[in-house]
Amino acid sequence: MMDIQAEIKQIGKKHSTIAPQTIRLNTQEQELSLRDLILLVVEQQVGQFNGKTRNEDEDGTAKTPAADYLSLLSTTGKVGFGGVYNHTQADLKQAQDNALQAFEDGLYAVFCNDEPLESLSDSVSLVPTPRFTFVRLTFLTGTLW
């Protein structure tokens, strides 16, 4: 298992969309292509999503939080139960294909320690722990006339 630091940003936003986090990749390789890195990150994220607790038990009854749960959440300034209401599991192969196609279509950019990675064949080193930034690109809308 190899660890990386990852954050997600969006053009026009000063701060990260998601706070930087450590992602544990299912590999022992110390150097990967960007394609392999994207596939491993998507694998980890799909596994995390599919493992989330659903808001209902198997019999369809709603789960109720513990008595002190609301007071703990209110200290963060945002109250939510963090459950997933959609019971559909993510399809790993489809998610990986979508991520690769989105990169090829220029919907997001990837940086490794502030250096842009421009091709899926670009090589990245996982030692020492690198910092990857995924930037969601937003396109201007409008007409040509």
Side-chain angles (χ1 to χ4, degrees):
M1 297 294 222
M2 298 296 283
D3 291 341
I4 64 168
Q5 295 292 318
E7 65 181 334
I8 299 173
K9 292 186 175 183
Q10 184 174 354
I11 299 288
K13 305 282 185 187
K14 290 183 179 181
H15 304 288
S16 296
T17 303
I18 297 176
Q21 57 182 309
T22 299
I23 295 178
R24 180 157 286 187
L25 301 178
N26 187 19
T27 185
Q28 294 298 327
E29 299 294 323
Q30 294 185 359
E31 193 160 318
L32 298 171
S33 67
L34 177 58
R35 173 186 299 278
D36 293 335
L37 175 75
I38 291 171
L39 294 175
L40 288 168
V41 169
V42 170
E43 177 184 332
Q44 188 275 339
Q45 293 294 297
V46 166
Q48 184 179 1
F49 174 81
N50 287 344
K52 280 188 178 178
T53 305
R54 304 299 189 221
N55 279 358
E56 295 178 351
D57 289 324
E58 292 78 25
D59 63 0
T61 58
K63 291 183 180 179
T64 55
D68 63 343
Y69 189 64
L70 189 58
S71 62
L72 291 173
L73 287 176
S74 62
T75 60
T76 66
K78 180 178 179 183
V79 177
F81 296 108
V84 178
Y85 296 96
N86 182 354
H87 295 286
T88 306
Q89 297 285 301
D91 179 3
L92 176 61
K93 177 70 173 129
Q94 182 180 1
Q96 289 175 325
D97 291 344
N98 288 345
L100 293 174
Q101 186 65 52
F103 180 81
E104 289 175 343
D105 291 346
L107 298 178
Y108 68 95
V110 181
F111 295 83
C112 178
N113 298 326
D114 298 327
E115 293 296 321
L117 300 170
E118 298 174 355
S119 169
L120 290 173
S121 60
D122 286 353
S123 181
V124 294
S125 176
L126 301 182
V127 179
T129 304
R131 180 177 38 95
F132 289 95
T133 304
F134 295 85
V135 180
R136 185 175 135 204
L137 303 175
T138 322
F139 298 96
L140 300 174
T141 61
T143 60
L144 296 174
W145 50 86

